[in-house]
Amino acid sequence: MFDSRQPLSDYVKYYDVSVEDPELMGNYNQDYNDAQFHFSYLKEIFIAKNISYAKKIQERLEINFI
């Protein structure tokens, strides 16, 4: 699914959003609140998939996790 890039591989070990419902993910650790963790996880997915994203230019993204 993803490469072994850190911290993404740690995030996937904690909660694999390609298999489980991301809405139920919760928090990775006390260093992040839920929103910060979810944003960090998403950023790492984008890096692994070579996808760029800017809040100013919001488009619907379809990410293939396979």
Side-chain angles (χ1 to χ4, degrees):
M1 176 185 77
F2 300 115
D3 62 18
S4 60
R5 179 176 151 63
Q6 298 290 349
L8 182 58
S9 64
D10 291 337
Y11 293 166
V12 171
K13 287 177 191 171
Y14 167 72
Y15 196 91
D16 189 345
V17 296
S18 69
V19 177
E20 305 293 333
D21 183 353
E23 293 292 327
L24 304 175
M25 180 166 40
N27 201 350
Y28 180 63
N29 65 32
Q30 298 305 316
D31 294 337
Y32 303 98
N33 66 35
D34 286 359
Q36 290 169 326
F37 169 56
H38 296 184
F39 181 69
S40 180
Y41 197 133
L42 184 61
K43 278 180 26 180
E44 291 298 325
I45 291 171
F46 284 1
I47 291 168
K49 295 289 189 174
N50 199 27
I51 297 171
S52 62
Y53 174 78
K55 286 184 179 181
K56 291 180 182 180
I57 306 170
Q58 295 181 5
E59 297 176 14
R60 181 169 171 79
L61 296 174
E62 298 290 335
I63 300 174
N64 184 2
F65 288 106
I66 300 173

